């Protein structure tokens, strides 16, 4: 029994069938209350992925120019010798902070992946820079924590109890489809489902109503809905008095956003805003599911704070099946210790989404669980930085990604069925143990074992660097939080998964919040809506179209983007363009076009579609640049900028133009 490690809220429990030492079948665990026997279209091919012909099985050293992808096989001893010598030299000449351990969300494991900051003890002993993994959810997490004291909210299983469900900036039928079972249960009992999204997604097709909101204006819509709630006199005065802070000022802010103004800001007809506001005022419990895409713009953290405020004004937090669900990670209280005591002195923190601009001061980039050339903003600048001869780049990987092509040393990494790990999904309330099912192929090593061997090779004497995986897991579970009482490693290994000690149904804030005052804090007056760049400037200037980059149905970030069948299903990169915008530019479905701005360009096949509103274009993420015409994906035009909270990424807040390619299909 094991668990899916990938960057998805569902964090599935799975069962691997092994015959003669080979994994022959993988299925969702039918006994798990959230997984219920189902995996997604991507992970259904996971065993095939582990056996792919292009899997990296041995350490390699670069033999050609950076970017050429030419390597020779070397031994682990040779690789560790060269790495050790280079790391020592960099520390001696430039200091440890010239080393950047760049870890991504390729695995959400607490042992092998980013949730437990795998390898951090080694980097602390070496004195390397810290890494701030802000690429995914930090704006929303920071914003919600400012309000509620935690980003944790509803248990998504409780959506089955809801009477009104707002799926706000989320597409669970592509990214986290297990939620839909609970939505269906609610609908069977009469619930009404609304999708609020700039794109008419698969999920929007299945909803009772779709509101095509202008990107980055979500907070304004939240204020407009609350304006109707106040007009209806439906605010929960008792809850507001007992459990909130700053209500009077926030009330004045709500009154400044009447329905007509909100319609102008959001692009949603005034009748639709008023209708939903009335439904919200009259329906308890209301559940709001808002995930990471909604906060990837300049005002993203504030958007989550203001949407979160809805449940406090209506009192939905007191009702089972009511509230807001962003991430359940805030309810996970494992004993995560970054061991900063191992640092000889404080070191700088480098921000993940600022790789392009910060790389110049780096002498060693160590990439694991990440593919920045496929996933990080301003990828053209990153490519130029990785081409520097004085930059020593090590990549721990499964496959020859674009980032691997620029490595000096490549180290073969295990995949999930080949190592031990501890997991907690960020969309449910369960802990999972992943028991290795088969031996690793070739000379692949787990992340933990790689750092143990490297520490030994460098003669490091700190005892904790050599803790086994089981010892690390025991330390994580050694928490005094009541949610983990009775959750032991022995129990997890025997049972495979355990629900943390939270009641069902779960009303996390019925009696208050984990803030200093025990109350949720409303946004300050004048700061409940922070317009995004696209909301401020879209429709004007040389780049009038707002580009959003949603998840592809067949890839997970850039994972699986080398799988032949999933690549076939994904087809060539596309850009969705509204018919009016297409007609104004002479764009036709099936024809190639340049999507460009001052930062760069990528090529995509036009799909003229009313699935996007006028002024909005959408290009799904995930393709490896080297697999597509022009050698670039949408991150070429995504600017390196910070959201209002947590230095979050702005993947859905970029202005572009779309220009038809010449008849030969070539870009400029």
């Amino acid at each position: 029994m094991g668990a899916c490690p990938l960057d998805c809220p569902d964090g599935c429990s799975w069962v691997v069938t092994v015959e003669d030492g080979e994994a022959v079948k993988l299925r969702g665990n039918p006994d798990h209350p959230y997984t219920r026997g189902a995996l997604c279209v991507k992970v259904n091919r996971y065993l095939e992925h582990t056996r792919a012909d292009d899997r990296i099985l041995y350490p390699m050293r670069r033999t050609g120019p950076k970017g050429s992808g030419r390597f020779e096989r070397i031994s682990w001893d040779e690789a560790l010798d060269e790495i050790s010598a280079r790391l020592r030299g960099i520390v001696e000449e430039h200091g440890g902070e010239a080393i950047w351990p760049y870890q991504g969300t390729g695995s959400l494991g607490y042992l092998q992946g980013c949730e437990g900051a795998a390898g951090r003890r080694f980097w602390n002993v070496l004195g390397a820079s810290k890494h701030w993994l802000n690429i995914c959810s930090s704006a929303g997490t920071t914003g919600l924590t400012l309000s509620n004291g935690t980003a944790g909210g509803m248990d998504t299983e409780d959506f089955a109890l809801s009477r009104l469900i707002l799926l706000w900036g989320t597409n669970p039928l592509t990214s986290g489809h297990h939620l839909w079972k609970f939505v269906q249960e609610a609908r069977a009992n009469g619930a009404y489902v609304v999708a609020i999204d700039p794109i008419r997604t698969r999920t929007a097709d299945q909803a009772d109503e779709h509101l095509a909101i202008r990107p980055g204006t979500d907070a304004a819509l939240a204020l407009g809905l609350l304006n109707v709630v106040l007009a209806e006199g439906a605010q929960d005065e008792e809850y507001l008095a007992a459990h909130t802070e700053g209500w009077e000022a926030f009330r004045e802010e709500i009154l400044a956003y009447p329905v007509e103004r909100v319609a102008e800001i959001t692009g949603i007809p005034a009748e639709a805003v008023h209708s939903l506001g009335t439904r919200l005022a009259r329906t308890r419990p209301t559940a709001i599911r808002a995930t990471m895409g909604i906060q990837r713009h300049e005002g993203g953290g504030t958007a989550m704070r203001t949407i979160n405020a809805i449940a406090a004004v209506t009192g939905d937090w007191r009702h089972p099946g009511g509230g807001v669900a962003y991430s359940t990670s805030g309810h996970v209280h494992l004993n995560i210790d970054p061991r900063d005591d191992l640092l000889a002195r404080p070191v700088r923190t480098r921000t993940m989404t600022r790789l392009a601009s910060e790389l110049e001061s780096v002498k060693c980039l160590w990439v694991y669980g990440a593919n920045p050339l496929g996933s990080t903003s301003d990828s053209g600048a990153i490519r130029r930085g990785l081409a520097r001869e004085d930059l020593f780049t090590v990549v721990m990987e499964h496959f020859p990604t674009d980032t691997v092509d620029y490595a000096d040393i490549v180290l073969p990494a295990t995949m999930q069925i080949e190592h031990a790990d501890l997991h907690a999904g960020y969309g449910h309330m369960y802990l999972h143990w992943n028991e290795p099912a088969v031996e690793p192929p070739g000379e692949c090593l787990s992340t933990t074992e790689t750092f143990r061997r490297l520490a030994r090779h460098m003669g490091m004497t700190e005892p904790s660097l050599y803790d086994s995986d089981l010892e690390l897991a025991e330390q994580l579970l050694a928490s005094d939080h009541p949610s983990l009482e009775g959750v032991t490693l022995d129990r997890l290994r025997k049972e495979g998964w355990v629900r943390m000690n939270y009641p069902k149904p779960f009303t996390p804030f019925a009696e208050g919040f984990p803030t200093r005052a025990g109350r949720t804090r409303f946004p300050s007056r004048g700061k409940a809506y922070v317009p995004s760049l696209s909301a401020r400037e879209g429709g004007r200037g040389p780049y009038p179209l707002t580009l959003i980059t949603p998840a592809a149905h067949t890839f997970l970030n850039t994972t699986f983007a080398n799988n032949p069948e999933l690549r076939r299903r994904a087809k060539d990169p596309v850009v969705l363009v509204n018919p009016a915008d297409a007609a104004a530019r002479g764009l036709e479905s099936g024809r190639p076009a340049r999507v460009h701005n001052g930062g760069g360009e990528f090529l995509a096949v036009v799909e003229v579609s009313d699935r996007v509103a006028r002024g909005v274009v959408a290009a799904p993420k995930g393709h490896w640049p080297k697999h597509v015409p022009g050698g670039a994906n949408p991150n070429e035009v995504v600017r390196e900028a910070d959201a209002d909270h947590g230095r979050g990424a702005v993947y859905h807040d970029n202005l572009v133009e779309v220009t038809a390619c010449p008849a030969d299909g070539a870009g400029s």
Side-chain angles (χ1 to χ4, degrees):
M1 195 177 297
C4 179
L6 300 176
D7 185 11
C8 165
D10 293 8
C12 290
S13 173
W14 69 29
V15 179
V16 184
T17 302
V18 179
E19 295 178 0
D20 300 323
E22 182 179 355
V24 296
K25 184 179 180 181
L26 176 71
R27 64 190 177 112
N29 187 344
D31 299 323
H32 191 278
Y34 202 76
T35 304
R36 296 188 183 184
L39 300 175
C40 66
V41 66
K42 302 171 275 284
V43 176
N44 277 330
R45 309 192 81 89
Y46 193 81
L47 292 187
E48 172 188 310
H49 206 49
T50 67
R51 297 188 289 264
D53 291 340
D54 58 343
R55 181 150 179 205
I56 297 168
L57 299 176
Y58 305 97
M60 299 186 297
R61 178 193 291 123
R62 178 170 62 88
T63 58
K66 290 196 173 190
S68 67
R70 298 208 301 268
F71 298 94
E72 63 179 358
R73 177 180 169 181
I74 58 176
S75 69
W76 266 102
D77 279 342
E78 288 176 294
L80 294 175
D81 280 342
E82 183 165 340
I83 291 169
S84 298
R86 294 293 296 270
L87 291 180
R88 287 193 190 97
I90 290 168
V91 171
E92 290 172 4
E93 185 175 353
H94 303 283
E97 290 171 290
I99 300 168
W100 189 349
Y102 192 93
Q103 185 177 21
T105 60
S107 167
L108 300 189
Y110 282 85
L111 299 181
Q112 311 297 345
C114 65
E115 292 287 12
R120 189 63 245 172
R121 295 179 183 183
F122 172 84
W123 298 119
N124 283 350
V125 170
L126 201 62
S129 290
K130 292 183 179 181
H131 174 66
W132 187 356
L133 203 158
N134 69 321
I135 202 166
C136 182
S137 59
S138 64
T141 296
T142 304
L144 287 173
T145 303
L146 284 170
S147 286
N148 294 350
T150 175
M154 286 183 67
D155 177 354
T156 51
E157 291 182 55
D158 291 340
F159 273 60
L161 306 174
S162 307
R163 302 291 293 176
L164 173 62
I165 296 174
L166 307 185
L167 300 173
W168 203 322
T170 189
N171 181 16
L173 288 179
T174 283
S175 302
H177 69 92
H178 293 82
L179 174 71
W180 199 251
K181 293 187 289 290
F182 304 102
V183 173
Q184 287 177 310
E185 288 182 41
R187 289 179 98 169
N189 292 317
Y192 189 81
V193 179
V194 181
I196 302 169
D197 200 299
I199 308 173
R200 195 173 77 248
T201 62
R202 290 169 182 257
T203 300
D205 282 339
Q206 298 300 315
D208 296 301
E209 183 178 358
H210 171 226
L211 300 183
I213 192 170
R214 185 171 290 132
T217 64
D218 306 277
L221 177 59
L223 292 165
L225 297 177
L226 287 175
N227 189 287
V228 180
V229 170
L230 292 185
E232 291 275 320
Q235 67 272 22
D236 188 328
E237 294 287 2
E238 181 182 356
Y239 191 87
L240 286 164
H243 302 303
T244 72
E245 188 176 290
W247 166 236
E248 286 306 319
F250 187 59
R251 184 179 183 277
E252 293 302 313
E253 186 78 351
I254 293 169
L255 294 175
Y257 284 83
V259 166
E260 293 74 16
R261 180 186 179 195
V262 168
E264 184 178 343
I265 293 170
T266 64
I268 299 171
E271 318 84 76
V273 176
H274 188 271
S275 174
L276 181 56
T278 303
R279 190 181 293 273
L280 172 65
R282 300 175 182 177
T283 310
R284 304 277 76 75
T286 290
I288 301 173
R289 178 62 163 160
T291 52
M292 287 66 212
I294 203 170
Q295 45 91 72
R296 289 177 181 155
H297 61 83
E298 283 188 1
T302 296
M304 280 308 309
R305 292 194 72 187
T306 305
I307 291 168
N308 169 79
I310 292 174
V313 175
T314 61
D316 271 298
W317 285 123
R318 71 160 85 218
H319 302 291
V324 180
Y326 175 67
S327 169
T328 55
S329 295
H331 299 309
V332 180
H333 294 280
L334 294 169
N335 182 35
I336 301 171
D337 184 356
R339 292 301 308 271
D340 284 351
D341 59 298
L342 300 178
L343 286 165
R345 59 179 181 80
V347 296
R348 70 181 294 172
T349 297
R350 298 184 184 272
T351 307
M352 188 176 196
T353 54
R354 291 286 179 166
L355 180 62
S357 57
E358 292 195 23
L359 195 53
E360 184 177 350
S361 62
V362 175
K363 297 299 180 183
C364 171
L365 184 71
W366 188 294
V367 180
Y368 54 126
N371 178 18
L373 270 180
S375 296
T376 305
S377 48
D378 202 355
S379 54
I382 293 172
R383 188 183 302 275
R384 293 188 291 273
L386 289 177
R388 282 174 30 217
E389 283 298 328
D390 68 326
L391 177 67
F392 179 57
T393 302
V394 179
V395 181
M396 299 162 67
E397 250 294 355
H398 307 132
F399 298 105
T401 65
D402 292 79
T403 305
V404 163
D405 288 347
Y406 285 82
D408 295 288
I409 298 288
V410 181
L411 300 177
T414 48
M415 295 178 73
Q416 186 74 350
I417 62 172
E418 301 150 8
H419 58 227
D421 215 337
L422 178 64
H423 287 268
Y426 59 92
H428 60 62
M429 308 295 283
Y430 301 89
L431 293 181
H432 296 160
W433 177 254
N434 186 76
E435 190 74 19
V438 296
E439 291 296 317
E443 296 179 3
C444 296
L445 294 180
S446 68
T447 303
T448 48
E449 180 60 20
T450 297
F451 284 114
R452 283 190 287 262
R453 291 196 186 187
L454 182 56
R456 190 172 294 112
H457 217 80
M458 295 187 71
M460 294 179 175
T461 58
E462 165 55 41
S464 67
L465 295 175
Y466 304 102
D467 287 348
S468 69
D469 289 352
L470 296 184
E471 288 172 325
L472 292 169
E474 292 275 17
Q475 292 161 21
L476 284 163
L477 292 165
S479 169
D480 59 2
H481 195 274
S483 66
L484 294 176
E485 184 177 352
V487 182
T488 65
L489 182 57
D490 283 345
R491 181 183 172 193
L492 269 175
R493 295 187 74 186
K494 288 175 184 175
E495 300 178 21
W497 56 270
V498 173
R499 181 178 169 92
M500 293 176 288
N501 297 319
Y502 292 104
K504 292 185 71 174
F506 179 45
T507 51
F509 310 131
E511 301 300 328
F513 295 81
T515 59
R516 182 174 298 177
R519 298 166 177 263
T520 187
R521 309 177 187 96
F522 290 120
S524 302
R525 183 74 192 273
K527 296 183 178 179
Y529 168 48
V530 176
S532 64
L533 172 72
S534 56
R536 296 192 311 270
E537 300 181 18
R540 301 189 296 275
Y543 308 112
L545 301 173
T546 298
L547 171 71
I548 54 178
T549 59
H553 194 68
T554 53
F555 307 146
L556 204 162
N557 301 328
T558 64
T559 301
F560 301 111
N562 61 318
N563 180 281
E565 174 58 19
L566 294 177
R567 282 182 65 193
R568 184 191 69 79
R569 294 188 195 182
K571 302 179 182 178
D572 289 331
V574 299
V575 57
L576 274 66
V577 184
N578 180 272
D581 292 324
R585 292 162 174 78
L587 302 172
E588 300 177 7
S589 286
R591 300 284 298 174
R594 295 169 50 233
V595 183
H596 58 100
N597 60 20
E601 70 175 48
F602 67 96
L603 303 182
V605 175
V606 172
E607 182 177 324
V608 179
S609 173
D610 63 1
R611 286 188 173 274
V612 291
R614 189 168 187 174
V616 177
V617 294
K621 66 180 179 179
H623 281 285
W624 289 7
K626 65 182 177 181
H627 286 169
V628 300
N633 70 15
N635 289 314
E636 196 82 9
V637 300
V638 173
R639 62 201 172 96
E640 191 182 70
D642 295 336
D644 53 347
H645 293 302
R647 302 196 69 180
V650 295
Y651 288 104
H652 303 322
D653 196 10
N654 297 276
L655 298 176
V656 300
E657 182 56 278
V658 181
T659 305
C661 287
D664 62 4
S668 64

